Amino acid sequence: MRGGDARSKKVAVVPDLLMNAPSERQGLVRARQLLEENGIGMIVLPKLEWTTELGFWLTITLDQVLDYHKNGYRTFVVGVDGLPGYGVWYPKLAEEYRRRVGQTPVLARIRDQYAADGVQELERMLA
């Protein structure tokens, strides 16, 4: 911790479901705990079915991500297998990110929403 600041200089784009996971979805609950325990900032995208303005959300999300990246933060995306676009509109997000940055954003996938051990990819990334 530097100067009393517990933040990690890491930010993840996450689906709404990760932040509002019911307790039986232990994989999602564990993923949120891992992010919080590691001081990861989170940009939460709204539920896919609530979003009629996908272009707007992608633009403001990527503007934030790129600003963090420019200021020395490590940025990545946490997606959930079984959700369309991993719950974060990943195909469109990755396409726009590539257009702006020239590379694909790092993606950690939650493989099993219901099992606490479904977060191995995220655990490896945070190690």
Side-chain angles (χ1 to χ4, degrees), residues 13-26:
V13 175
V14 301
D16 171 77
L17 182 60
L18 186 85
M19 298 307 294
N20 298 298
S23 60
E24 69 269 9
R25 294 191 180 190
Q26 287 299 303

Side-chain angles (χ1 to χ4, degrees), residues 4 7 23 54 79 98:
R7 293 176 292 186
S23 60
L54 178 58
R98 267 191 307 274

